[in-house]
Amino acid sequence: MEKGLFTFLVLTLMVPLGDYFGEDTILPSNFDWREQALTTNYTVTGKVSCNGEGVVGVEVSDGVEIAVTDSNGVYRLNSKKELGYVFVSIPSGYEVSLDGNSPLFFKYLDSKKDKSVEEADFELNKVDNEKHAVLAMADFHLAAQNDDIKQFRKVADDINSSISDLKRQGYKVYGISLGDESWDIYWYSNHFTIREAKEQMKIIKAPVFHNMGNHDGNPYKQGDRASSQKFIDACGPKYYSFNLGKVHYVVLDNTEYINENGREGHVGKINFRESIESQQMNWLKKDLALIDNSHTPIVIAMHSPIYKHPNLKNGKETCDYLLKNGGELEEVLRRFDNVQVLSGHLHKAHHLQQTAHIIDHNTPAICGTWWWTDKLAGNSVCQDGSPSGYGVYLWQGNQVKWYYKSAAHSRSYQFRSYDLNTTWIAPKSYAPKFIKDMTQYAHNYATRRNDNKVLINVWNYDPEWIVEVSENGKKLDVTQVQTYDPLHIISYDAIRVRRGGARLVDFPTVPTSHMFMVQANHPNTTLLIRVTDRFGNIYQEKMMRPKAFHTMMK
C-alpha cells in the first residue's frame, strides 16, 4: 500500500502542520493537543501509536473529512461530528484490537458537542499480513427464523475449518461481511436485531469487518440516516477503509434505506434503492486520492453488486447496472488497474468484467434461500442453484487468486451435473393438489424427456473458465445456456407449492447463465466432465448415467 507521505494533511482545508510548528518539529511530551486544537479550530484530535510510538502517514476520518498523521502520529480533524464517530484506516502491516472478532478501528464521538474538542487515540499492533486471505461472506439473514441459528452454526464450522486450513498455509485470515447480517422485518417480532446477529457472528474465528445491507436498517425508522443508527451503534461506521499487505480495502454502504411509513412500533415498507449517496462518494474520492500508485490493488466491499445478474444473448453474457450510480463509481476507480469488487445481495453467483480493470464478484448467500432449503430438503442452495457458501480471496503481494467454498462440501465441489433423462419434475407427483401452479414452477422439467442431454451448473464460472465433456474418449460440444436449476426447484419451489400453492413461493428459482448443455449419444454412457478455472485448477466428475435426481444429489 503506497500512500503519499505528508507531514500533516487535512484534505478539505489543505493545512500542513509546518504552517504551525515548522517542518519535522519534535514536540515536547507535555504538549497539550487539546489546547492546540482549540487555537487552530479543530474539534477532534488524537494519536495513532504502536508500542507507544507514533505512526506517521496514517489516514484518520470522520466519514466526511480526512487527516493523515504527522511524524509524531498525531492527527486533527475539523469535524462537525455529524456521523458520530472517527475511524482509523488501518495501515498495512498492522492490526487493531478486537471486540470478540470485530476490529476496533473506530471511536464514537458526541455529535451534540460539535464545537468542543474530543480526543480519540488509536493503538496499532504490528503484524505481517502481506500474505493474507479474505473470506467474503454475504447475506446471513439471521433472525431467529427457520432454524437459522442452528443452520448458521454448521456453516460457521465450515468457515472455521477453512480458516484453520488457510492459517496452516501461512495466511493471515480476515472475514468481510457483505451485508444483510440481520433481517429487518423480524427485528421486533423476534427480538433479533443487528446487535443479536453480530453476537452470533462472533463464532467465526477470524477478525470480521462488518458491512451494512438493505435488511440491516431499523424498520421503525424512515430514511437512511435515521434507520442506520442501530447498525452504527452495534457495528460502527457504515463505510470506511483499511489496508492489508499491499491491498487497499474500502467498505461501502450502497443501499439507501427509504422505508416509507416506518414509525415507532410500525414496520414500514422496507423499500430501498441501490445507490452510493453523495457524501459517501465524496469521501471515497478523498480516500483514494491518498494513493499515489495506480498499480495498488483496490478491493471494494459492498452489499449490492455494480451489475444485475447477467442474461445470455447470442451466446454472450450481457448485463445492466443495478447500482444507480455504478458508472460514477467506475469512473472514480478508473485510474487503478487492479480492482476487485465483492458483493452479495442477489443470493446468486456471477463474475462480470465490463471494464479492463474492474471485476464485479457477486457472492452467493451464506443463508442459501433465506435458510429455507436446508429446513425443507436437507441441503442449502441459492435461487440460481449455487450452494450456500463464501468466496475465498488469496493475496500474496499484489497478486490474487480466488475460489468459491461451498459450505459442507470440499473445495473441489465446483459444479453439479444433471442427467436430463432423469430430471423430471412431474407436477402430479410433486404437488398433486396444485398441478397448474407446479407446472408453472417446474418450467421445462415438467415433461419427461429422453433426448440424452446433460445440464451442468458451474456456479463460479467466468469467461476464463473452460468446460469440457467427453463420451467414450470423444469430446462433445458444450453450449452455454440460460435456464433454471432443477435442484433448487425440488428443494424449495415444489415443496412450497405442495404445501399451499404458488402463494407460498416467495423466493422462486431464477434463470442463470452459468449453465452448460451437452448432447450425449447414448443414455447410459459414462461422461467425463472436466472444468478448468481461470487459475488452472481442474475439477472433474465421472458422471455415471443414468444419474439419479434427488434433493441430496451432488
Side-chain angles (χ1 to χ4, degrees):
M1 170 62 215
E2 296 187 27
K3 290 200 172 187
L5 294 179
F6 303 94
T7 305
F8 182 73
L9 170 68
V10 176
L11 284 184
T12 303
L13 300 179
M14 299 298 289
V15 182
L17 184 65
D19 286 359
Y20 296 106
F21 303 117
E23 295 297 328
D24 300 319
T25 300
I26 304 300
L27 296 163
S29 59
N30 63 349
F31 186 86
D32 189 339
W33 298 110
R34 290 176 180 272
E35 180 181 345
Q36 184 60 31
L38 285 169
T39 62
T40 53
N41 201 32
Y42 295 111
T43 57
V44 183
T45 184
K47 187 173 183 178
V48 180
S49 305
C50 179
N51 295 324
E53 296 292 326
V55 183
V56 65
V58 179
E59 175 186 343
V60 183
S61 178
D62 63 352
V64 180
E65 313 296 353
I66 293 178
V68 175
T69 58
D70 66 8
S71 57
N72 295 288
V74 174
Y75 73 92
R76 295 183 191 81
L77 281 167
N78 185 9
S79 173
K80 294 181 180 178
K81 307 179 187 177
E82 59 183 288
L83 300 180
Y85 51 72
V86 61
F87 59 87
V88 61
S89 182
I90 306 169
S92 301
Y94 292 92
E95 291 180 343
V96 293
S97 59
L98 303 174
D99 172 18
N101 61 1
S102 299
L104 292 174
F105 60 90
F106 61 92
K107 298 284 181 70
Y108 293 111
L109 300 174
D110 189 342
S111 298
K112 295 178 181 178
K113 299 180 179 178
D114 60 324
K115 299 193 182 300
S116 62
V117 177
E118 293 184 71
E119 187 173 354
D121 296 332
F122 296 95
E123 183 68 24
L124 306 177
N125 305 308
K126 191 73 176 171
V127 296
D128 181 1
N129 53 19
E130 182 148 331
K131 180 179 179 180
H132 69 272
V134 164
L135 308 186
M137 302 171 289
D139 298 282
F140 298 76
H141 287 279
L142 295 171
Q145 182 83 1
N146 276 349
D147 300 326
D148 56 353
I149 305 304
K150 180 180 178 181
Q151 292 186 54
F152 174 62
R153 287 173 180 164
K154 291 192 298 183
V155 177
D157 286 344
D158 189 277
I159 293 170
N160 288 333
S161 178
S162 290
I163 290 169
S164 296
D165 289 343
L166 291 165
K167 286 181 176 179
R168 282 193 290 270
Q169 297 172 44
Y171 289 96
K172 290 287 292 183
V173 185
Y174 305 86
I176 297 182
S177 159
L178 299 175
D180 279 1
E181 299 175 12
S182 64
W183 198 347
D184 48 0
I185 62 173
Y186 296 109
W187 270 31
Y188 296 104
S189 61
N190 290 2
H191 306 288
F192 204 97
T193 70
I194 184 63
R195 190 173 294 278
E196 284 73 32
K198 179 190 174 189
E199 192 67 25
Q200 290 296 323
M201 291 172 62
K202 286 182 179 180
I203 62 177
I204 297 172
K205 296 178 180 178
V208 175
F209 292 90
H210 293 274
N211 194 347
M212 190 169 186
N214 61 288
H215 287 291
D216 293 324
N218 185 348
Y220 282 0
K221 299 291 183 181
Q222 285 193 54
D224 195 65
R225 181 66 62 86
S227 64
S228 300
Q229 192 57 52
K230 283 191 179 293
F231 178 92
I232 292 170
D233 292 343
C235 301
K238 296 196 304 173
Y239 57 91
Y240 53 93
S241 66
F242 59 94
N243 303 277
L244 301 174
K246 287 184 165 57
V247 187
H248 185 64
Y249 290 82
V250 183
V251 174
L252 297 177
D253 169 25
N254 69 346
T255 53
E256 184 182 349
Y257 200 73
I258 300 168
N259 195 35
E260 294 175 59
N261 301 327
R263 59 186 181 275
E264 203 62 36
H266 177 78
V267 174
K269 291 184 178 181
I270 62 171
N271 53 319
F272 64 95
R273 67 172 62 95
E274 293 92 348
S275 180
I276 300 172
E277 47 88 21
S278 59
Q279 183 182 67
Q280 186 178 172
M281 189 72 83
N282 290 334
W283 170 85
L284 175 63
K285 293 173 183 178
K286 295 176 184 179
D287 175 83
L288 296 178
L290 292 174
I291 303 174
D292 293 332
N293 190 345
S294 63
H295 301 306
T296 298
I298 307 294
V299 174
I300 304 292
M302 56 191 187
H303 184 56
S304 171
I306 298 175
Y307 306 107
K308 296 178 180 179
H309 198 58
N311 291 310
L312 196 66
K313 293 183 180 179
N314 300 320
K316 293 185 178 181
E317 289 184 328
T318 63
C319 61
D320 298 316
Y321 285 117
L322 177 60
L323 188 65
K324 298 297 185 290
N325 49 356
E328 182 182 0
L329 177 61
E330 289 177 331
E331 186 62 32
V332 171
L333 297 168
R334 184 172 299 280
R335 73 181 178 94
F336 299 100
D337 56 22
N338 181 2
V339 180
Q340 311 296 326
V341 177
L342 312 181
S343 64
H345 189 42
L346 301 182
H347 295 235
K348 306 167 193 171
H350 72 234
H351 299 271
L352 295 172
Q353 188 166 2
Q354 299 298 295
T355 64
H357 60 297
I358 301 174
I359 302 180
D360 186 24
H361 305 270
N362 193 237
T363 309
I366 289 286
C367 71
T369 304
W370 289 264
W371 304 108
W372 273 109
T373 65
D374 197 352
K375 180 180 180 179
L376 297 174
N379 60 40
S380 186
V381 290
C382 299
Q383 292 168 281
D384 65 344
S386 301
S388 65
Y390 46 95
V392 180
Y393 294 80
L394 306 176
W395 287 93
Q396 296 197 58
N398 59 6
Q399 299 298 311
V400 63
K401 295 182 178 181
W402 58 84
Y403 62 90
Y404 183 71
K405 177 64 176 66
S406 303
H409 295 284
S410 70
R411 174 179 169 177
S412 64
Y413 185 52
Q414 296 293 329
F415 65 88
R416 184 188 310 114
S417 64
Y418 298 96
D419 181 349
L420 293 186
N421 287 349
T422 63
T423 305
W424 180 28
I425 306 175
K428 188 174 181 179
S429 299
Y430 278 89
K433 294 182 179 180
F434 299 96
I435 293 175
K436 183 178 180 181
D437 288 349
M438 191 63 246
T439 301
Q440 173 190 346
Y441 284 99
H443 300 288
N444 50 317
Y445 309 108
T447 303
R448 192 165 193 170
R449 58 196 297 172
N450 58 5
D451 54 3
N452 303 330
K453 288 189 176 181
V454 168
L455 182 68
I456 308 167
N457 188 340
V458 188
W459 40 81
N460 211 37
Y461 172 83
D462 69 47
E464 298 294 319
W465 286 47
I466 301 171
V467 181
E468 301 170 293
V469 182
S470 60
E471 181 183 32
N472 295 326
K474 182 180 179 180
K475 281 192 173 184
L476 302 176
D477 290 335
V478 179
T479 304
Q480 188 174 3
V481 297
Q482 181 164 314
T483 190
Y484 299 85
D485 182 84
L487 177 60
H488 188 269
I489 294 174
I490 63 170
S491 300
Y492 177 77
D493 305 47
I495 298 173
R496 297 292 280 168
V497 170
R498 182 169 69 245
R499 293 183 177 181
R503 66 183 179 85
L504 294 184
V505 184
D506 297 317
F507 310 113
T509 309
V510 295
T512 186
S513 60
H514 49 68
M515 294 284 203
F516 298 84
M517 191 76 78
V518 176
Q519 175 68 66
N521 294 301
H522 305 283
N524 56 2
T525 49
T526 297
L527 303 184
L528 178 61
I529 302 173
R530 177 185 170 103
V531 175
T532 307
D533 71 15
R534 65 159 53 212
F535 305 111
N537 299 304
I538 298 172
Y539 311 101
Q540 294 189 140
E541 178 192 359
K542 287 186 177 180
M543 184 185 182
M544 308 290 291
R545 299 163 60 240
K547 181 177 179 178
F549 175 58
H550 53 84
T551 57
M552 300 308 293
M553 70 182 298
K554 290 187 177 181

